[in-house]
Each structure stands twice: as C-alpha cells, then as structure tokens.
PDB file of all heavy atoms in Angstrom:
ATOM      1  N   LEU A 227       0.858  -1.178   0.000  1.00 98.00           N
ATOM      2  CA  LEU A 227       0.000   0.000   0.000  1.00 98.00           C
ATOM      3  C   LEU A 227       0.895   1.229   0.000  1.00 98.00           C
ATOM      4  O   LEU A 227       1.559   1.522   1.001  1.00 98.00           O
ATOM      5  CB  LEU A 227      -0.929   0.029   1.217  1.00 98.00           C
ATOM      6  CG  LEU A 227      -1.957   1.162   1.212  1.00 98.00           C
ATOM      7  CD1 LEU A 227      -2.979   0.949   0.095  1.00 98.00           C
ATOM      8  CD2 LEU A 227      -2.667   1.271   2.564  1.00 98.00           C
ATOM      9  N   GLN A 228       0.957   1.891  -1.138  1.00 98.00           N
ATOM     10  CA  GLN A 228       1.706   3.141  -1.244  1.00 98.00           C
ATOM     11  C   GLN A 228       0.794   4.275  -0.820  1.00 98.00           C
ATOM     12  O   GLN A 228      -0.287   4.455  -1.387  1.00 98.00           O
ATOM     13  CB  GLN A 228       2.180   3.356  -2.682  1.00 98.00           C
ATOM     14  CG  GLN A 228       2.921   4.663  -2.900  1.00 98.00           C
ATOM     15  CD  GLN A 228       4.250   4.719  -2.173  1.00 98.00           C
ATOM     16  OE1 GLN A 228       5.003   3.751  -2.170  1.00 98.00           O
ATOM     17  NE2 GLN A 228       4.546   5.856  -1.543  1.00 98.00           N
ATOM     18  N   MET A 229       1.227   5.026   0.184  1.00 98.00           N
ATOM     19  CA  MET A 229       0.400   6.098   0.731  1.00 98.00           C
ATOM     20  C   MET A 229       1.124   7.422   0.539  1.00 98.00           C
ATOM     21  O   MET A 229       2.220   7.617   1.083  1.00 98.00           O
ATOM     22  CB  MET A 229       0.129   5.854   2.219  1.00 98.00           C
ATOM     23  CG  MET A 229      -0.488   4.497   2.518  1.00 98.00           C
ATOM     24  SD  MET A 229      -0.983   4.280   4.236  1.00 98.00           S
ATOM     25  CE  MET A 229       0.613   4.418   5.035  1.00 98.00           C
ATOM     26  N   ASN A 230       0.531   8.294  -0.250  1.00 98.00           N
ATOM     27  CA  ASN A 230       1.095   9.612  -0.519  1.00 98.00           C
ATOM     28  C   ASN A 230       0.181  10.700   0.036  1.00 98.00           C
ATOM     29  O   ASN A 230      -0.983  10.446   0.343  1.00 98.00           O
ATOM     30  CB  ASN A 230       1.281   9.804  -2.027  1.00 98.00           C
ATOM     31  CG  ASN A 230       2.248   8.813  -2.633  1.00 98.00           C
ATOM     32  OD1 ASN A 230       3.189   8.350  -1.993  1.00 98.00           O
ATOM     33  ND2 ASN A 230       1.997   8.456  -3.876  1.00 98.00           N
ATOM     34  N   SER A 231       0.718  11.889   0.148  1.00 98.00           N
ATOM     35  CA  SER A 231      -0.055  13.045   0.631  1.00 98.00           C
ATOM     36  C   SER A 231      -0.797  12.699   1.916  1.00 98.00           C
ATOM     37  O   SER A 231      -2.008  12.954   2.049  1.00 98.00           O
ATOM     38  CB  SER A 231      -1.040  13.506  -0.451  1.00 98.00           C
ATOM     39  OG  SER A 231      -0.363  13.844  -1.643  1.00 98.00           O
ATOM     40  N   LEU A 232      -0.087  12.112   2.833  1.00 98.00           N
ATOM     41  CA  LEU A 232      -0.720  11.650   4.069  1.00 98.00           C
ATOM     42  C   LEU A 232      -1.279  12.809   4.889  1.00 98.00           C
ATOM     43  O   LEU A 232      -0.720  13.921   4.899  1.00 98.00           O
ATOM     44  CB  LEU A 232       0.288  10.848   4.899  1.00 98.00           C
ATOM     45  CG  LEU A 232       0.496   9.418   4.387  1.00 98.00           C
ATOM     46  CD1 LEU A 232       1.784   8.831   4.936  1.00 98.00           C
ATOM     47  CD2 LEU A 232      -0.692   8.545   4.745  1.00 98.00           C
ATOM     48  N   LYS A 233      -2.378  12.517   5.560  1.00 98.00           N
ATOM     49  CA  LYS A 233      -3.073  13.495   6.386  1.00 98.00           C
ATOM     50  C   LYS A 233      -3.140  12.984   7.832  1.00 98.00           C
ATOM     51  O   LYS A 233      -3.115  11.760   8.057  1.00 98.00           O
ATOM     52  CB  LYS A 233      -4.496  13.718   5.865  1.00 98.00           C
ATOM     53  CG  LYS A 233      -4.580  14.151   4.414  1.00 98.00           C
ATOM     54  CD  LYS A 233      -6.024  14.233   3.964  1.00 98.00           C
ATOM     55  CE  LYS A 233      -6.132  14.658   2.511  1.00 98.00           C
ATOM     56  NZ  LYS A 233      -7.549  14.735   2.066  1.00 98.00           N
ATOM     57  N   PRO A 234      -3.280  13.870   8.784  1.00 97.00           N
ATOM     58  CA  PRO A 234      -3.395  13.416  10.181  1.00 97.00           C
ATOM     59  C   PRO A 234      -4.528  12.411  10.384  1.00 97.00           C
ATOM     60  O   PRO A 234      -4.411  11.499  11.212  1.00 97.00           O
ATOM     61  CB  PRO A 234      -3.644  14.709  10.948  1.00 97.00           C
ATOM     62  CG  PRO A 234      -2.940  15.750  10.135  1.00 97.00           C
ATOM     63  CD  PRO A 234      -3.166  15.334   8.704  1.00 97.00           C
ATOM     64  N   GLU A 235      -5.592  12.548   9.619  1.00 97.00           N
ATOM     65  CA  GLU A 235      -6.728  11.613   9.759  1.00 97.00           C
ATOM     66  C   GLU A 235      -6.431  10.227   9.207  1.00 97.00           C
ATOM     67  O   GLU A 235      -7.242   9.313   9.355  1.00 97.00           O
ATOM     68  CB  GLU A 235      -7.987  12.178   9.100  1.00 97.00           C
ATOM     69  CG  GLU A 235      -7.790  12.659   7.680  1.00 97.00           C
ATOM     70  CD  GLU A 235      -7.557  14.164   7.600  1.00 97.00           C
ATOM     71  OE1 GLU A 235      -6.748  14.705   8.411  1.00 97.00           O
ATOM     72  OE2 GLU A 235      -8.162  14.810   6.707  1.00 97.00           O
ATOM     73  N   ASP A 236      -5.278  10.056   8.577  1.00 98.00           N
ATOM     74  CA  ASP A 236      -4.850   8.714   8.149  1.00 98.00           C
ATOM     75  C   ASP A 236      -4.200   7.948   9.285  1.00 98.00           C
ATOM     76  O   ASP A 236      -3.890   6.759   9.140  1.00 98.00           O
ATOM     77  CB  ASP A 236      -3.873   8.813   6.985  1.00 98.00           C
ATOM     78  CG  ASP A 236      -4.489   9.390   5.728  1.00 98.00           C
ATOM     79  OD1 ASP A 236      -5.641   9.020   5.418  1.00 98.00           O
ATOM     80  OD2 ASP A 236      -3.818  10.194   5.053  1.00 98.00           O
ATOM     81  N   THR A 237      -3.974   8.600  10.404  1.00 98.00           N
ATOM     82  CA  THR A 237      -3.361   7.946  11.552  1.00 98.00           C
ATOM     83  C   THR A 237      -4.230   6.784  12.016  1.00 98.00           C
ATOM     84  O   THR A 237      -5.422   6.950  12.291  1.00 98.00           O
ATOM     85  CB  THR A 237      -3.163   8.946  12.700  1.00 98.00           C
ATOM     86  OG1 THR A 237      -2.229   9.944  12.290  1.00 98.00           O
ATOM     87  CG2 THR A 237      -2.643   8.249  13.947  1.00 98.00           C
ATOM     88  N   ALA A 238      -3.630   5.595  12.083  1.00 98.00           N
ATOM     89  CA  ALA A 238      -4.363   4.386  12.446  1.00 98.00           C
ATOM     90  C   ALA A 238      -3.380   3.214  12.466  1.00 98.00           C
ATOM     91  O   ALA A 238      -2.229   3.358  12.054  1.00 98.00           O
ATOM     92  CB  ALA A 238      -5.474   4.104  11.442  1.00 98.00           C
ATOM     93  N   VAL A 239      -3.878   2.077  12.927  1.00 98.00           N
ATOM     94  CA  VAL A 239      -3.150   0.828  12.734  1.00 98.00           C
ATOM     95  C   VAL A 239      -3.681   0.215  11.441  1.00 98.00           C
ATOM     96  O   VAL A 239      -4.901   0.092  11.262  1.00 98.00           O
ATOM     97  CB  VAL A 239      -3.351  -0.145  13.913  1.00 98.00           C
ATOM     98  CG1 VAL A 239      -2.597  -1.447  13.642  1.00 98.00           C
ATOM     99  CG2 VAL A 239      -2.872   0.490  15.208  1.00 98.00           C
ATOM    100  N   TYR A 240      -2.766  -0.152  10.557  1.00 98.00           N
ATOM    101  CA  TYR A 240      -3.129  -0.688   9.260  1.00 98.00           C
ATOM    102  C   TYR A 240      -2.900  -2.204   9.244  1.00 98.00           C
ATOM    103  O   TYR A 240      -1.867  -2.700   9.696  1.00 98.00           O
ATOM    104  CB  TYR A 240      -2.304  -0.019   8.163  1.00 98.00           C
ATOM    105  CG  TYR A 240      -2.783   1.373   7.846  1.00 98.00           C
ATOM    106  CD1 TYR A 240      -2.563   2.420   8.734  1.00 98.00           C
ATOM    107  CD2 TYR A 240      -3.469   1.656   6.665  1.00 98.00           C
ATOM    108  CE1 TYR A 240      -3.020   3.700   8.469  1.00 98.00           C
ATOM    109  CE2 TYR A 240      -3.923   2.940   6.384  1.00 98.00           C
ATOM    110  CZ  TYR A 240      -3.698   3.949   7.294  1.00 98.00           C
ATOM    111  OH  TYR A 240      -4.159   5.223   7.021  1.00 98.00           O
ATOM    112  N   TYR A 241      -3.882  -2.904   8.694  1.00 98.00           N
ATOM    113  CA  TYR A 241      -3.852  -4.359   8.613  1.00 98.00           C
ATOM    114  C   TYR A 241      -4.125  -4.800   7.176  1.00 98.00           C
ATOM    115  O   TYR A 241      -4.829  -4.106   6.433  1.00 98.00           O
ATOM    116  CB  TYR A 241      -4.950  -4.980   9.474  1.00 98.00           C
ATOM    117  CG  TYR A 241      -4.940  -4.605  10.929  1.00 98.00           C
ATOM    118  CD1 TYR A 241      -5.566  -3.447  11.369  1.00 98.00           C
ATOM    119  CD2 TYR A 241      -4.334  -5.434  11.874  1.00 98.00           C
ATOM    120  CE1 TYR A 241      -5.577  -3.114  12.720  1.00 98.00           C
ATOM    121  CE2 TYR A 241      -4.348  -5.108  13.222  1.00 98.00           C
ATOM    122  CZ  TYR A 241      -4.974  -3.945  13.631  1.00 98.00           C
ATOM    123  OH  TYR A 241      -4.991  -3.619  14.964  1.00 98.00           O
ATOM    124  N   CYS A 242      -3.637  -5.954   6.826  1.00 96.00           N
ATOM    125  CA  CYS A 242      -4.042  -6.562   5.564  1.00 96.00           C
ATOM    126  C   CYS A 242      -4.806  -7.843   5.877  1.00 96.00           C
ATOM    127  O   CYS A 242      -4.656  -8.443   6.944  1.00 96.00           O
ATOM    128  CB  CYS A 242      -2.856  -6.842   4.652  1.00 96.00           C
ATOM    129  SG  CYS A 242      -1.725  -8.078   5.267  1.00 96.00           S
ATOM    130  N   ASN A 243      -5.630  -8.235   4.939  1.00 95.00           N
ATOM    131  CA  ASN A 243      -6.405  -9.457   5.078  1.00 95.00           C
ATOM    132  C   ASN A 243      -7.029  -9.751   3.723  1.00 95.00           C
ATOM    133  O   ASN A 243      -6.944  -8.946   2.798  1.00 95.00           O
ATOM    134  CB  ASN A 243      -7.508  -9.294   6.138  1.00 95.00           C
ATOM    135  CG  ASN A 243      -7.943 -10.611   6.764  1.00 95.00           C
ATOM    136  OD1 ASN A 243      -8.114 -11.609   6.061  1.00 95.00           O
ATOM    137  ND2 ASN A 243      -8.093 -10.630   8.075  1.00 95.00           N
ATOM    138  N   THR A 244      -7.644 -10.895   3.607  1.00 93.00           N
ATOM    139  CA  THR A 244      -8.422 -11.177   2.415  1.00 93.00           C
ATOM    140  C   THR A 244      -9.699 -10.343   2.477  1.00 93.00           C
ATOM    141  O   THR A 244     -10.048  -9.754   3.507  1.00 93.00           O
ATOM    142  CB  THR A 244      -8.784 -12.663   2.342  1.00 93.00           C
ATOM    143  OG1 THR A 244      -9.494 -13.029   3.540  1.00 93.00           O
ATOM    144  CG2 THR A 244      -7.539 -13.527   2.215  1.00 93.00           C
ATOM    145  N   LYS A 245     -10.374 -10.279   1.360  1.00 92.00           N
ATOM    146  CA  LYS A 245     -11.673  -9.599   1.312  1.00 92.00           C
ATOM    147  C   LYS A 245     -12.661 -10.565   0.678  1.00 92.00           C
ATOM    148  O   LYS A 245     -12.475 -10.940  -0.467  1.00 92.00           O
ATOM    149  CB  LYS A 245     -11.611  -8.318   0.505  1.00 92.00           C
ATOM    150  CG  LYS A 245     -12.972  -7.618   0.409  1.00 92.00           C
ATOM    151  CD  LYS A 245     -12.913  -6.406  -0.488  1.00 92.00           C
ATOM    152  CE  LYS A 245     -14.266  -5.736  -0.631  1.00 92.00           C
ATOM    153  NZ  LYS A 245     -15.328  -6.612  -1.122  1.00 92.00           N
ATOM    154  N   PRO A 246     -13.709 -11.000   1.436  1.00 92.00           N
ATOM    155  CA  PRO A 246     -13.973 -10.620   2.817  1.00 92.00           C
ATOM    156  C   PRO A 246     -12.890 -11.127   3.761  1.00 92.00           C
ATOM    157  O   PRO A 246     -12.179 -12.086   3.439  1.00 92.00           O
ATOM    158  CB  PRO A 246     -15.321 -11.275   3.111  1.00 92.00           C
ATOM    159  CG  PRO A 246     -15.399 -12.426   2.162  1.00 92.00           C
ATOM    160  CD  PRO A 246     -14.693 -11.973   0.932  1.00 92.00           C
ATOM    161  N   SER A 247     -12.788 -10.481   4.891  1.00 90.00           N
ATOM    162  CA  SER A 247     -11.707 -10.818   5.819  1.00 90.00           C
ATOM    163  C   SER A 247     -11.975 -12.142   6.519  1.00 90.00           C
ATOM    164  O   SER A 247     -13.118 -12.574   6.675  1.00 90.00           O
ATOM    165  CB  SER A 247     -11.548  -9.711   6.863  1.00 90.00           C
ATOM    166  OG  SER A 247     -12.744  -9.553   7.610  1.00 90.00           O
ATOM    167  N   ARG A 248     -10.901 -12.789   6.919  1.00 90.00           N
ATOM    168  CA  ARG A 248     -10.956 -14.032   7.659  1.00 90.00           C
ATOM    169  C   ARG A 248     -10.388 -13.789   9.049  1.00 90.00           C
ATOM    170  O   ARG A 248      -9.255 -13.294   9.175  1.00 90.00           O
ATOM    171  CB  ARG A 248     -10.174 -15.122   6.933  1.00 90.00           C
ATOM    172  CG  ARG A 248     -10.841 -15.578   5.634  1.00 90.00           C
ATOM    173  CD  ARG A 248      -9.905 -16.395   4.767  1.00 90.00           C
ATOM    174  NE  ARG A 248     -10.577 -17.100   3.694  1.00 90.00           N
ATOM    175  CZ  ARG A 248     -10.984 -16.541   2.566  1.00 90.00           C
ATOM    176  NH1 ARG A 248     -10.795 -15.272   2.364  1.00 90.00           N
ATOM    177  NH2 ARG A 248     -11.598 -17.275   1.639  1.00 90.00           N
ATOM    178  N   MET A 249     -11.131 -14.117  10.058  1.00 91.00           N
ATOM    179  CA  MET A 249     -10.732 -13.818  11.425  1.00 91.00           C
ATOM    180  C   MET A 249      -9.336 -14.348  11.740  1.00 91.00           C
ATOM    181  O   MET A 249      -8.526 -13.671  12.387  1.00 91.00           O
ATOM    182  CB  MET A 249     -11.749 -14.411  12.411  1.00 91.00           C
ATOM    183  CG  MET A 249     -11.475 -14.071  13.872  1.00 91.00           C
ATOM    184  SD  MET A 249     -11.610 -12.308  14.211  1.00 91.00           S
ATOM    185  CE  MET A 249     -13.362 -12.096  13.974  1.00 91.00           C
ATOM    186  N   ALA A 250      -9.047 -15.552  11.261  1.00 90.00           N
ATOM    187  CA  ALA A 250      -7.769 -16.181  11.607  1.00 90.00           C
ATOM    188  C   ALA A 250      -6.578 -15.496  10.953  1.00 90.00           C
ATOM    189  O   ALA A 250      -5.434 -15.743  11.339  1.00 90.00           O
ATOM    190  CB  ALA A 250      -7.798 -17.654  11.214  1.00 90.00           C
ATOM    191  N   TYR A 251      -6.811 -14.646   9.985  1.00 90.00           N
ATOM    192  CA  TYR A 251      -5.707 -14.042   9.238  1.00 90.00           C
ATOM    193  C   TYR A 251      -5.270 -12.689   9.797  1.00 90.00           C
ATOM    194  O   TYR A 251      -4.274 -12.143   9.344  1.00 90.00           O
ATOM    195  CB  TYR A 251      -6.079 -13.862   7.772  1.00 90.00           C
ATOM    196  CG  TYR A 251      -6.208 -15.137   6.974  1.00 90.00           C
ATOM    197  CD1 TYR A 251      -6.582 -15.084   5.630  1.00 90.00           C
ATOM    198  CD2 TYR A 251      -5.979 -16.383   7.530  1.00 90.00           C
ATOM    199  CE1 TYR A 251      -6.708 -16.234   4.872  1.00 90.00           C
ATOM    200  CE2 TYR A 251      -6.107 -17.540   6.785  1.00 90.00           C
ATOM    201  CZ  TYR A 251      -6.472 -17.457   5.444  1.00 90.00           C
ATOM    202  OH  TYR A 251      -6.606 -18.598   4.711  1.00 90.00           O
ATOM    203  N   TRP A 252      -6.002 -12.133  10.752  1.00 94.00           N
ATOM    204  CA  TRP A 252      -5.597 -10.820  11.252  1.00 94.00           C
ATOM    205  C   TRP A 252      -4.239 -10.908  11.924  1.00 94.00           C
ATOM    206  O   TRP A 252      -3.985 -11.757  12.762  1.00 94.00           O
ATOM    207  CB  TRP A 252      -6.614 -10.270  12.253  1.00 94.00           C
ATOM    208  CG  TRP A 252      -7.920  -9.872  11.664  1.00 94.00           C
ATOM    209  CD1 TRP A 252      -9.145 -10.419  11.926  1.00 94.00           C
ATOM    210  CD2 TRP A 252      -8.153  -8.835  10.709  1.00 94.00           C
ATOM    211  NE1 TRP A 252     -10.109  -9.798  11.176  1.00 94.00           N
ATOM    212  CE2 TRP A 252      -9.544  -8.817  10.421  1.00 94.00           C
ATOM    213  CE3 TRP A 252      -7.329  -7.913  10.048  1.00 94.00           C
ATOM    214  CZ2 TRP A 252     -10.120  -7.915   9.527  1.00 94.00           C
ATOM    215  CZ3 TRP A 252      -7.897  -7.016   9.157  1.00 94.00           C
ATOM    216  CH2 TRP A 252      -9.284  -7.027   8.907  1.00 94.00           C
ATOM    217  N   GLY A 253      -3.346 -10.001  11.540  1.00 92.00           N
ATOM    218  CA  GLY A 253      -2.028  -9.927  12.140  1.00 92.00           C
ATOM    219  C   GLY A 253      -1.967  -8.819  13.159  1.00 92.00           C
ATOM    220  O   GLY A 253      -2.992  -8.339  13.643  1.00 92.00           O
ATOM    221  N   GLN A 254      -0.741  -8.391  13.475  1.00 95.00           N
ATOM    222  CA  GLN A 254      -0.545  -7.347  14.482  1.00 95.00           C
ATOM    223  C   GLN A 254      -0.768  -5.953  13.926  1.00 95.00           C
ATOM    224  O   GLN A 254      -0.982  -5.008  14.681  1.00 95.00           O
ATOM    225  CB  GLN A 254       0.869  -7.448  15.049  1.00 95.00           C
ATOM    226  CG  GLN A 254       1.123  -8.732  15.816  1.00 95.00           C
ATOM    227  CD  GLN A 254       0.199  -8.882  16.994  1.00 95.00           C
ATOM    228  OE1 GLN A 254       0.065  -7.984  17.808  1.00 95.00           O
ATOM    229  NE2 GLN A 254      -0.476 -10.033  17.077  1.00 95.00           N
ATOM    230  N   GLY A 255      -0.705  -5.845  12.620  1.00 97.00           N
ATOM    231  CA  GLY A 255      -0.868  -4.534  12.017  1.00 97.00           C
ATOM    232  C   GLY A 255       0.402  -3.705  12.127  1.00 97.00           C
ATOM    233  O   GLY A 255       1.384  -4.097  12.773  1.00 97.00           O
ATOM    234  N   THR A 256       0.379  -2.569  11.480  1.00 98.00           N
ATOM    235  CA  THR A 256       1.506  -1.640  11.543  1.00 98.00           C
ATOM    236  C   THR A 256       0.965  -0.237  11.792  1.00 98.00           C
ATOM    237  O   THR A 256       0.011   0.187  11.145  1.00 98.00           O
ATOM    238  CB  THR A 256       2.362  -1.716  10.268  1.00 98.00           C
ATOM    239  OG1 THR A 256       3.524  -0.892  10.412  1.00 98.00           O
ATOM    240  CG2 THR A 256       1.594  -1.307   9.019  1.00 98.00           C
ATOM    241  N   GLN A 257       1.558   0.452  12.747  1.00 98.00           N
ATOM    242  CA  GLN A 257       1.063   1.765  13.155  1.00 98.00           C
ATOM    243  C   GLN A 257       1.548   2.837  12.191  1.00 98.00           C
ATOM    244  O   GLN A 257       2.737   2.933  11.888  1.00 98.00           O
ATOM    245  CB  GLN A 257       1.552   2.105  14.568  1.00 98.00           C
ATOM    246  CG  GLN A 257       1.206   3.502  15.045  1.00 98.00           C
ATOM    247  CD  GLN A 257      -0.275   3.659  15.327  1.00 98.00           C
ATOM    248  OE1 GLN A 257      -0.875   2.829  15.996  1.00 98.00           O
ATOM    249  NE2 GLN A 257      -0.866   4.760  14.837  1.00 98.00           N
TER     250      GLN A 257
END
C-alpha cells in the first residue's frame, strides 16, 4: 500500500487481510 499526501486523519493501525476478511488471518498490524 503506497500512501502519498498523508493526512493526520490517516493515523491508524493498518492491517491486511483477504476480502472478505478471515478472522484467523488478522495480524498485528503496523502503526
């Protein structure tokens, strides 16, 4: 995920998963 022109409202923990998501696949995320 390339993120440009970031804004303060983009602040979050970001996760990847399949779509639809699978509960067992959630990782720790990245802040």
Side-chain angles (χ1 to χ4, degrees):
L227 186 68
Q228 178 67 43
M229 305 187 297
N230 298 330
S231 302
L232 282 162
K233 303 175 180 180
E235 51 263 45
D236 295 319
T237 295
V239 179
Y240 284 72
Y241 303 85
C242 66
N243 205 317
T244 57
K245 178 185 178 304
S247 60
R248 290 166 166 78
M249 184 64 68
Y251 290 178
W252 290 117
Q254 295 300 309
T256 186
Q257 175 71 48

